[in-house]
Amino acid sequence: MAHRWTNDLTRDDVTPYKDYLNRRQLMAGMTGLGLAGLVGTGSAAAATDLTPTSYEDITSYNNFYEFGTGKGDPATYAHLLNTQDWSIQIDGLVDRPGDYKFDDVMKEMTVEERIYRFRCVEAWSMVVPWNGFELKDLLDLAGVQSEAKYVAFETLYRPTEMVGQRLPTLNWPYVEGLRLDEAMNPLTIMATGIYDKPIPNQNGAPLRLVVPWKYGFKSIKSVVRITLTDYEPPTSWNQAGPREYGFYSNVNPEVDHPRWSQATERLIGGGVFAKRQDTLMFNGYEEEVAGLYEGMDLQRNF
Ligand code: MTE
């Protein structure tokens, strides 16, 4: 794998999303099958008409309950978190379990720019120019064993610095999970930057998951542990409200939250008079991911 990360990324250091798609299409062309269906022209068009939300909005309107429940709390308190010497424990059904130092991991990963829609279950949305690497590449580093079916994620637990963890708002540490095929999908990334700058603490430094076709709470921040399992792992919001937050949590305008509609969303940064916009099936990534859920009842598996 190419070693392309610096802590001071410029536009020249990352692969623009359009080039990424072209490269994938090229690869698809070479192999003839498979990926051609995965990355059609529709997704390329969808990727290019996205106007990123401002850096200021992305980094000041946050959900990160480890620092409080207010939208401004993470930006106010997350500087207290020390992210030096970060490592990620990768264990469970892998060939090479262990503590992976963040700096060492970055030397192995290819960081690209991915401009993704980001849709919170609370019915607001943004467009975020992430920098990150595919989760698949990290899992390949650890060597996923054939019995593995799910991937569990865990956020740091450190109440001395994560002041919101002193209150029982959620069961700490924050945990999340994906089915293995969702985790291996090329759209699923570990984000390490925004707008070509290292990811700010309030957005989940030094690395957080981003799954663009799912509600934002699946995109767990400040990850310290990744466990490969053969069972569906517990998830924090599902534990807090099992009837409101399911394991899958795919963005779906036709499946309402018990307390509000999911048909439309408020785009952050649009101003007070901005019209709400329609929410897209799988957040606009239907072409890429609908196949993962073929034959599944999405009302029941919400
Ligand atoms: N991860 C952790 N550890 N703690 C959290 O409270 N909030 C989730 C998700 N990841 C959260 C988390 C929710 S509800 C959303 S919408 C997104 O992070 C918000 O990401 P952003 O602040 O970068 O927009």
Side-chain angles (χ1 to χ4, degrees):
M1 263 169 277
H3 297 193
R4 300 166 67 248
W5 169 262
T6 68
N7 262 332
D8 208 354
L9 277 178
T10 68
R11 290 253 154 204
D12 296 329
D13 291 314
V14 295
T15 309
Y17 188 66
K18 234 186 339 177
D19 294 357
Y20 155 77
L21 288 172
N22 289 340
R23 188 157 59 77
R24 293 269 156 170
Q25 268 166 334
L26 207 68
M27 283 161 51
M30 291 187 311
T31 55
L33 274 169
L35 277 173
L38 181 73
V39 185
T41 47
S43 58
T48 46
D49 64 9
L50 293 172
T51 306
T53 304
S54 73
Y55 184 80
E56 157 79 354
D57 281 336
I58 294 171
T59 58
S60 64
Y61 186 92
N62 300 100
N63 276 335
F64 200 169
Y65 278 20
E66 283 84 341
F67 297 103
T69 56
K71 292 288 181 279
D73 288 341
T76 307
Y77 299 112
H79 68 275
L80 297 168
L81 176 64
N82 178 4
T83 60
Q84 293 300 109
D85 302 318
W86 196 272
S87 66
I88 307 122
Q89 182 182 341
I90 307 184
D91 58 11
L93 300 169
V94 290
D95 294 333
R96 292 173 289 281
D99 278 322
Y100 287 74
K101 287 203 174 72
F102 175 68
D103 293 343
D104 294 343
V105 166
M106 291 312 283
K107 290 182 197 139
E108 302 295 324
M109 296 292 123
T110 304
V111 172
E112 307 178 53
E113 181 177 63
R114 299 285 182 93
I115 301 172
Y116 283 159
R117 290 181 205 85
F118 189 82
R119 169 62 157 82
C120 179
V121 73
E122 297 166 331
W124 53 263
S125 68
M126 296 185 183
V127 175
V128 185
W130 304 105
N131 310 100
F133 55 83
E134 291 184 10
L135 173 60
K136 176 185 188 299
D137 290 342
L138 178 58
L139 296 179
D140 284 348
L141 210 60
V144 176
Q145 296 180 344
S146 57
E147 315 88 83
K149 294 192 179 72
Y150 293 89
V151 188
F153 302 85
E154 199 174 297
T155 293
L156 178 70
Y157 178 69
R158 194 183 284 164
T160 50
E161 295 172 13
M162 298 177 124
V163 292
Q165 286 179 333
R166 298 174 195 171
L167 298 171
T169 340
L170 289 169
N171 284 338
W172 310 116
Y174 194 102
V175 290
E176 255 306 335
L178 294 173
R179 224 169 51 189
L180 184 60
D181 58 349
E182 299 175 323
M184 290 297 201
N185 188 279
L187 289 182
T188 304
I189 60 166
M190 295 304 295
T192 54
I194 293 175
Y195 273 108
D196 301 337
K197 299 188 202 3
I199 196 163
N201 283 5
Q202 58 267 37
N203 293 88
L207 85 168
R208 59 89 61 87
L209 182 68
V210 176
V211 195
W213 71 93
K214 291 179 179 285
Y215 292 120
F217 67 86
K218 297 294 291 182
S219 293
I220 181 172
K221 296 178 170 182
S222 304
V223 171
V224 289
R225 186 174 180 192
I226 298 177
T227 309
L228 279 289
T229 66
D230 57 6
Y231 56 89
E232 186 183 292
T235 60
S236 288
W237 277 103
N238 180 253
Q239 287 179 325
R243 285 194 307 275
E244 305 200 338
Y245 310 101
F247 178 79
Y248 284 95
S249 290
N250 292 315
V251 175
N252 188 337
E254 285 155 29
V255 179
D256 287 337
H257 185 279
R259 292 183 280 130
W260 59 83
S261 164
Q262 294 291 26
T264 64
E265 64 201 41
R266 178 173 62 95
L267 184 65
I268 300 297
V272 277
F273 299 112
K275 258 184 66 189
R276 295 177 72 84
Q277 62 184 31
D278 288 342
T279 289
L280 302 172
M281 186 63 199
F282 294 114
N283 207 24
Y285 303 98
E286 186 168 13
E287 205 172 321
E288 290 89 342
V289 301
L292 296 172
Y293 309 104
E294 234 166 56
M296 220 168 106
D297 181 344
L298 299 177
Q299 299 273 345
R300 280 189 55 186
N301 296 284
F302 59 94

